[in-house]
Amino acid sequence: MGAETDAWTRFIEQCVLKRKSTEDFKSLVRAHYSVTPITSSELAQVVLRPRSAPSLFVHPLVPRFVERLIRLGRLEVHDVLRTLLEGSCYDSKTKQPNNDAEITTEQDHQAQISGSENASKDFQVDILRRIARLLADGWGPPKARWWKTIEVVSRWMSSLAAYSAASPLHEDAIPVAIGTVFSELAGSNATRHDLASSIAEDLRKDLGRSLSLFIPLISPVSAELAAGLESVQKQYDLFDGELTEPPDETMMEGVNLASLQFQHGVLDGPALTSRAGLYIYLNAMLVGRPLGDDNIFINYLNARYKGDVANLVIDLITAAFDVLSSAMYRNESSQTMFLLRSYLVNKLPILLTLFSASLLPPFTIQWCITEALGHVDPQAFPSLSQMFGPLSGSGMLSDVRQEFLFACALHNLIAEETIEHLLGETPMQTLPAGGRYTKEELVHQCSVNSERLEELVGELERLEGNAGAIAGAVVETLCVTKETMSLKALSGILSRRHQILDVLLLFHSPFSILQPLCQLLNKWRYDADQGECQPVYDEFGSILLFILTLKHRYDLTSYDLGIADGEDFITRLVEKGWTPKRPEDMSELENQHFGGWISSLYESDGIIDDMMSSCSPQDFYLLVPTLFSQSLLACENGLLDFSTLRGGLEYLLLPSLLPSLVSAFNWLTTNLWEAQGDITILMQILRTLVKSSSISGEAQAMHSTVLSIVAESLERALRQRRRLEPSRSDIDPIIDALKPHLSFKRNAASHHTELETWTSTRGGLMASIRNTFQSLVLWATAPEMTMTTPTYTHRQLLSGVTILGAERVIHGLIEEVKLQTEHNSGDLALEVATTMICAPTTADPTMSPVPLDANGVPIPMPKARLTLVDALKLVLDDALGRITNNDHITMGEFDRGTVETIVRLHRRVEAQLAGAPQVISDMIPEMNMDTGTAGVGADMVTGEDQMGLGATGTIDDVLEAAGGEMLSGDDFLGLDAGDGMELG
């Protein structure tokens, strides 16, 4: 590696690790280039294949840097495309090791890992889309290098066609991205002239061969793009004259030409945007843990509406009201109703602010709101004057319309004086006295008045439109403050008020909230000069209980928490925290701690400070299951009487130790399932810990939170034990004590009463899903015929996937789409089925932002169970594999109508998943999702003179000149003002 390459490699890696904005990066590149010039081809190798830190290859900041380098003229497009291809699994010219024996050194192994075959294809697609966008904006390579770009794109197309012969590319977005790049490249005025007149004959033949191979590959995925490429090919006569028969047998070996021919003949109908589609999608976003990733949602809206902002706004408002009314008709819990109302009042106006600036005359945001309110079910949302009329419903949602309108007024979407006209009556509320909050103002208020934070947390339960700013201030306090007493107080408040957690997740991902806290506890150290140890345990335990509260309320995984090291404290506690150790398996230090705690609990007058100072909180919490296991064993063997055992366990009800009962209850629950003999002592321990009457105040609130965390699994184990031992009288009192805590969890799991209703349908759960599908299509056909939304909860579909399997559900949806097609509702049925399949779920890690570890490296994604998208791809491959090219096309077990339905459905799904991430973000200003206001970038260091660098400046000098502070919370993803939106 040359000196220039080495210097630029370290420079790029430091910019990534310190998450520099693109504006900062531009200034830094200019300064560094003046010190260390480098060629475009060398720089492409550096940026796209960093050698000293291969894991940074797929960092989400790198594509932004690539685009900036191209705009600065430091990178040529053809070098970027060639480097991507040569480092990918698609290039036949790239030698790939056949087995691990060919990798002779660890460095070689890391180099292989850093290749595109194991890197995120989203990374490659992001870069290709950025190049296509540059070309669409009128930017293009100089004419001298235009031919090189065409040559590389031609290589890409032929390589993809050859690769698809051995490995189908149905799920791959790369071909569409490459096709888009060529389409934009061929669409410029200069390019059209050169294609028509001055293209070299060899390049014409190569390009013609590549297009002939590539167009059949792209047709099943994007018929529109394929048609555009065919038009270019015909217009400029880009054909290989020798290609009169199937091309190059080595390249096309294994390709089912009959399959390609069949797909090419399947025509698509119009892509409709029915009322049912967005209703399904929004229902899925809010059915369990709120999915607040606005990037994913806006990409979906962009792909769906393609710039039709007026209808987007109307449909989005209508869908939010539809989901809320449907929940009321299904008698959802008060917590669910509050969440949906909070979304409508606190989150939706902020989203509308994003789109309002993009509305073109004669459309206005007030007109869109008026239109949307005209679609709202008056029975579910009656006016105050209609509440007591004969057609009114329960009246529980009578205030929702005016709450929403006042929130819109708060965010300057409409004028306050127009609300009376929109409601048709005099409103009964006003704008909040404090006006619209901003996160920065609230953070400042909390910094000078610690009591203000507790007041703000309480205001999160208000339906006024200010929750976004408050949530931003709360999360920033959690992520940034290092003062553990303040963290303890805030963690304690949030752990007790579970409804508020739902509001936080409307604006922030669990990762952005919890990862800084997990890192804090992993690195927690006790200093002797801190004085007493009990306050240390108090603070540690309160923060840990908050983490466990979110973890268990939303069924979060280690991936969701943003923890990657399997040996750190939080990972060990979350994944194995209920598993005791045998004495012979414990280390010498663990034995010392165990003996000290046994002595403190059962032999002394209480927990002494020396015990706490000699055992860190992390070691204590990991020791708890072993303490309970050995204590129970000692009591059962007569070595410890129960009164002494009970007295020792009551120490664990102190606030400083009480969070440890989460691990204790988990171990006791496991023991309940596995115990074969007498469980009397076990039940006495449970009674002591569940029904203790000796606690009050702070400890009582913490105890209630602990019971909420463990109640569901413990109650299930107790009911099972009651079935095994129906004569026992000590089980029911504990079950009764747990009942108030059983509604704690918020996930997408169905209640047993729902499952009984769905499975009692003739034909079982699948028939129930198909009935729901039919009702959605019927409603979408003529939504104006009835204001009442069809009963739908996404839990039904998720239960079907869990119980029946994704493939069985996909086959049912395919059969239903085919049936609806035969009844002339095929296009609406395709839209409903596509939305059901693509709807976001918490179980699919690709539906959430990629969490980064402390070094800014993406955490490996866990293996997910088969999704509906995966199942559809399997069914498609199976169906197409049965098509043979004899005298006629034979479908095997599939009839022609079914296979056509599968092809169309797969095309719609792929198109929706591919989206178009840049379009809407380029149409609208950067927004702060905490407040809904347009973001103003911080002052940037610009100009080489401001860098203060001479000829001897180093990389560290360059970075230091622009500030090298690390970011936290949502800024981990490196979003910045120069590249679109910074979404909550």
Side-chain angles (χ1 to χ4, degrees), residues 534 538 601 607 620 628 645-662 664-665 685-704 706-707:
Q534 182 173 330
D538 279 339
L601 291 172
I607 309 298
F620 165 71
F628 270 78
L645 174 62
R646 180 175 56 199
L649 295 182
E650 286 178 346
Y651 285 121
L652 299 180
L653 296 171
L654 296 172
S656 57
L657 302 178
L658 208 150
S660 67
L661 292 185
V662 174
F665 276 121
I685 293 174
L686 280 172
R687 178 182 175 84
T688 299
L689 298 178
V690 172
K691 302 191 66 177
S692 176
S693 58
S694 60
I695 57 175
S696 60
E698 180 186 4
Q700 190 172 34
M702 294 179 75
H703 184 255
S704 177
V706 169
L707 290 183

Side-chain angles (χ1 to χ4, degrees), residues 848-953:
S848 300
V850 177
L852 311 178
D853 65 19
N855 296 318
V857 178
I859 295 175
M861 188 177 296
K863 290 183 178 180
R865 64 184 303 165
L866 191 72
T867 65
L868 290 173
V869 175
D870 299 328
L872 178 60
K873 292 169 184 172
L874 292 175
V875 172
L876 175 73
D877 291 340
D878 184 25
L880 295 180
R882 295 171 183 268
I883 300 176
T884 58
N885 190 19
N886 298 319
D887 293 335
H888 60 280
I889 294 179
T890 304
M891 300 296 172
E893 296 179 4
F894 294 88
D895 61 79
R896 175 178 289 272
T898 300
V899 180
E900 289 180 349
T901 299
I902 295 170
V903 170
R904 292 191 183 99
L905 181 57
H906 181 261
R907 288 174 182 171
R908 294 290 178 88
V909 168
E910 288 294 300
Q912 181 161 311
L913 292 178
Q918 298 298 332
V919 177
I920 283 186
S921 62
D922 291 340
M923 290 168 55
I924 56 183
E926 179 194 4
M927 301 301 299
N928 183 341
M929 291 305 292
D930 294 327
T931 63
T933 57
V936 180
D939 292 337
M940 300 295 183
V941 179
T942 58
E944 295 179 16
D945 294 338
Q946 291 177 285
M947 305 301 291
L949 296 173
T952 59

Side-chain angles (χ1 to χ4, degrees), residues 84 284 291 355 359 590 707 722 806 918:
L84 280 179
L291 295 173
F355 303 116
L359 285 169
E590 288 173 329
L707 290 183
R722 186 174 58 185
Q918 298 298 332

Side-chain angles (χ1 to χ4, degrees), residues 17-79:
L17 288 172
K18 297 188 177 183
R19 303 173 182 87
K20 290 301 175 184
S21 71
T22 51
E23 284 300 316
D24 281 341
F25 181 70
K26 178 175 69 174
S27 300
L28 297 173
V29 166
R30 286 172 174 167
H32 191 57
Y33 189 86
S34 66
V35 177
T36 312
I38 190 172
T39 67
S40 170
S41 60
E42 291 175 331
L43 185 55
Q45 292 287 327
V46 167
V47 178
L48 299 175
R49 291 187 187 175
R51 291 171 172 79
S52 62
S55 56
L56 297 180
F57 178 78
V58 293
H59 195 285
L61 275 178
V62 173
R64 300 173 186 271
F65 290 168
V66 169
E67 180 179 358
R68 182 60 65 182
L69 288 167
I70 293 174
R71 289 183 181 274
L72 288 172
R74 301 307 178 200
L75 267 183
E76 299 288 351
V77 170
H78 65 86
D79 287 324

Side-chain angles (χ1 to χ4, degrees), residues 561-617:
L561 297 176
I563 49 181
D565 184 1
E567 296 303 315
D568 63 34
F569 163 68
I570 292 293
T571 307
R572 291 166 65 193
L573 184 71
V574 166
E575 297 182 353
K576 300 179 181 179
W578 63 89
T579 306
K581 284 189 174 183
R582 296 180 301 177
E584 59 268 25
D585 294 333
M586 290 192 291
S587 66
E588 181 178 350
L589 182 61
E590 288 173 329
N591 269 305
Q592 290 177 5
H593 291 159
F594 175 75
W597 281 105
I598 289 292
S599 176
S600 296
L601 291 172
Y602 305 127
E603 297 176 4
S604 64
D605 295 329
I607 309 298
I608 59 176
D609 203 61
D610 287 347
M611 180 64 250
M612 289 184 166
S613 64
S614 65
C615 180
S616 69

